[in-house]
Amino acid sequence: MADLINPVYLHKKTLEQARTLFLNNTPNSIQLHQFLTQNCYHELIKKISRLAWKQKSIPDLYQYTTTKIPKDIKTILTTRGITTILNTITSRETILQHAELCCFEHYDYTLLNDACTKKQTLFFELELTPTWNLTWGGYTSYVNHGTELVRNNPTPNTLTIVQQNKDTQHFIKYVNHFAQKNKRVLIRGILTEQ
Amino acid sequence: MYDLINSRYLKQVNALKQQFIQNKPFPYLILKNFLQLDLASKLTTALIQQEFNDKNSDLFQFKQTNELKHNTNPVMRDFYTFFSSPEFIDYLADISDIKLDGTIDMAGFIYQPGDYLLPHDDRLEGRKIAYVLNLSHGFTAKDGGALELFSTTNHHPTLVTKKIPPTYNTLTIFKVTPTSFHQVHEVLSTKSRLSIGGWFHG
């Protein structure tokens, strides 16, 4: 585990502080910066740069590219160590329900829609983006009836967890031409209670 | 009305009716050189003096004025009066073969570099015809800003099949339906796209 996760997050005290922060935020949310060790992070980036991506587009819902998460990367997400960290912070017994490796570049986005989940859900985003500027769009916005509650600005090697209640939805802001060839790459998904 | 708009559009009602209903991917019309030039110029000058507010969501990013119905600028007010007049509304109802009730929405819009409006169908209770009067100069394809109309499959937009660049003094109207998916392409250059837009209700 010390090879994968930043050792800071293996300490009980750190996790307890993180749990307090998570519960004190509205909505319940936390960002864990420098989450993976530098070695693990850079290995991940190298692996991902070799993958083939496929466009996913229903224009009134979303447009971005995605690829199947390699088995060894998925294994990282479901290791006991990471599960323990997530369970401690969220005070739940969680299991990975769904994960997607996706890429957002110029013209890409997701939109709010009525089909979005209307129940409490734990969303996570693991940021694999080397560099990002907010003026390019591409950030994740959690909203409640049009009011932004939380904004996740892509920061490399950051794990963001947000508990969405039934009135909250999220979207990824349209990436504009100022981004040029820059891409936001992340693993995002849903945790459910066991 | 006869002093305000290009007279050929008043003489070509039957031809416009045919065009509207036959156009794909859904009924629309593009009316170039729509207003008398002097009015177009005065309207542009009056519009850019208005207060525009930032509008930002998942679906769009642009600047918009308040509803122009109660605007105090005499040029804006007169234009609103003409556009919402029974005479003009009857004319549009005739061309489109759509029953209109006389109420309209009207606001000014500015799309600056990076601004956009993503795909949607405009459907909200009462909206029957959407319109945009473009008042920008010099937009080419590489500047972006085009109104783009989508074909539809299984209730979702698929491909852009019609691009309408923002040409000065051009009025575009289209029928609001379950398949009237459209977007405004992001403005890609340093230009700003200025327009008046809204809906006719029925």
Side-chain angles (χ1 to χ4, degrees):
Chain A
M1 193 48 46
D3 297 337
L4 300 176
I5 309 292
N6 185 331
V8 154
Y9 298 116
L10 301 176
H11 292 143
K12 193 176 168 190
K13 198 167 177 185
T14 309
L15 293 182
E16 282 169 2
Q17 284 172 346
R19 176 170 56 203
T20 305
L21 259 173
F22 176 79
L23 293 173
N24 285 345
N25 283 328
T26 305
N28 294 155
S29 54
I30 186 115
Q31 288 199 301
L32 306 176
H33 298 287
Q34 297 301 318
F35 183 67
L36 303 172
T37 60
Q38 286 298 301
N39 261 359
C40 177
Y41 178 71
H42 288 294
E43 280 303 312
L44 216 57
I45 299 292
K46 238 196 281 180
K47 274 196 176 78
I48 286 168
S49 68
R50 294 193 281 258
L51 298 174
W53 299 78
K54 192 176 160 187
Q55 191 182 57
K56 200 167 148 168
S57 176
I58 298 179
D60 62 331
L61 295 178
Y62 50 71
Q63 178 167 293
Y64 57 94
T65 50
T66 186
T67 185
K68 192 174 170 191
I69 302 181
K71 210 170 174 182
D72 52 347
I73 295 178
K74 201 152 192 185
T75 305
I76 295 175
L77 295 177
T78 52
T79 57
R80 188 189 282 187
I82 291 198
T83 309
T84 303
I85 290 170
L86 294 172
N87 292 351
T88 308
I89 291 173
T90 62
S91 306
R92 282 152 215 260
E93 298 287 318
T94 62
I95 189 170
L96 181 67
Q97 178 189 319
H98 170 73
E100 188 182 32
L101 177 51
C102 30
C103 174
F104 290 79
E105 53 189 309
H106 182 205
Y107 291 119
D108 291 342
Y109 58 89
T110 71
L111 290 173
L112 299 173
N113 72 88
D114 293 335
C116 283
T117 179
K118 296 268 195 257
K119 56 180 184 171
Q120 269 200 3
T121 317
L122 268 172
F123 283 99
F124 73 88
E125 291 181 324
L126 178 60
E127 209 64 50
L128 304 169
T129 307
T131 183
W132 197 258
N133 188 314
L134 277 189
T135 58
W136 303 342
Y139 52 81
T140 308
S141 182
Y142 290 82
V143 298
N144 183 327
H145 298 297
T147 302
E148 187 175 68
L149 303 173
V150 171
R151 180 181 289 192
N152 179 14
N153 303 317
T155 309
N157 196 11
T158 295
L159 176 67
T160 302
I161 309 164
V162 179
Q163 182 170 302
Q164 224 173 255
N165 66 25
K166 61 180 177 59
D167 294 322
T168 314
Q169 294 182 301
H170 69 271
F171 64 91
I172 294 184
K173 182 76 171 163
Y174 172 84
V175 178
N176 61 46
H177 72 283
F178 296 112
Q180 296 182 7
K181 298 255 181 257
N182 289 285
K183 301 178 188 193
R184 182 186 181 192
V185 180
L186 68 156
I187 297 174
R188 60 186 195 140
I190 295 172
L191 303 164
T192 47
E193 225 165 324
Q194 286 198 67
Chain B
M1 185 162 92
Y2 298 91
D3 299 334
L4 304 179
I5 69 176
N6 190 323
S7 59
R8 68 177 163 128
Y9 294 127
L10 299 171
K11 297 170 191 165
Q12 294 174 346
V13 171
N14 284 332
L16 293 175
K17 275 170 97 132
Q18 291 286 326
Q19 263 180 55
F20 181 78
I21 201 72
Q22 286 170 7
N23 274 337
K24 301 275 182 242
F26 45 85
Y28 73 87
L29 271 181
I30 302 170
L31 306 176
K32 294 183 180 178
N33 300 308
F34 180 67
L35 296 176
Q36 295 294 345
L37 271 180
D38 189 47
L39 172 56
S41 173
K42 284 185 176 139
L43 192 58
T44 306
T45 304
L47 183 60
I48 56 181
Q49 289 166 4
Q50 301 307 308
E51 186 181 329
F52 287 79
N53 304 303
D54 288 329
K55 298 288 181 186
N56 197 331
S57 76
D58 59 323
L59 189 64
F60 51 72
Q61 183 171 297
F62 49 67
K63 290 179 175 1
Q64 183 179 339
T65 66
N66 290 335
E67 250 297 309
L68 293 174
K69 183 175 186 176
H70 303 295
N71 196 277
T72 54
N73 179 293
V75 173
M76 303 301 317
R77 203 179 50 233
D78 286 350
F79 180 72
Y80 181 91
T81 302
F82 150 63
F83 223 65
S84 59
S85 66
E87 199 179 8
F88 185 67
I89 288 181
D90 283 347
Y91 168 76
L92 272 192
D94 191 11
I95 289 174
S96 63
D97 197 26
I98 296 172
K99 273 203 184 98
L100 301 174
D101 66 14
T103 55
I104 76 167
D105 302 312
M106 181 184 282
F109 296 84
I110 292 179
Y111 288 72
Q112 293 180 322
D115 288 348
Y116 62 89
L117 172 57
L118 292 174
H120 63 290
D121 57 19
D122 264 5
R123 278 194 305 155
L124 218 63
E125 197 167 322
R127 290 177 179 174
K128 295 295 179 191
I129 297 176
Y131 70 90
V132 58
L133 175 65
N134 276 298
L135 297 170
S136 312
H137 288 278
F139 265 77
T140 64
K142 64 177 173 58
D143 296 314
L147 174 64
E148 297 176 338
L149 312 184
F150 284 83
S151 55
T152 300
T153 306
N154 294 330
H155 313 293
H156 289 286
T158 46
L159 296 171
V160 171
T161 54
K162 178 68 185 174
K163 293 184 186 187
I164 304 170
T167 311
Y168 181 72
N169 194 18
T170 296
L171 178 71
T172 303
I173 63 169
F174 62 82
K175 185 177 181 179
V176 178
T177 74
T179 60
S180 57
F181 287 102
H182 59 285
Q183 68 181 6
V184 174
H185 196 107
E186 180 194 345
V187 173
L188 302 171
S189 67
T190 55
K191 295 182 179 142
S192 288
R193 179 193 192 269
L194 181 69
S195 64
I196 291 173
W199 298 271
F200 293 87
H201 291 246

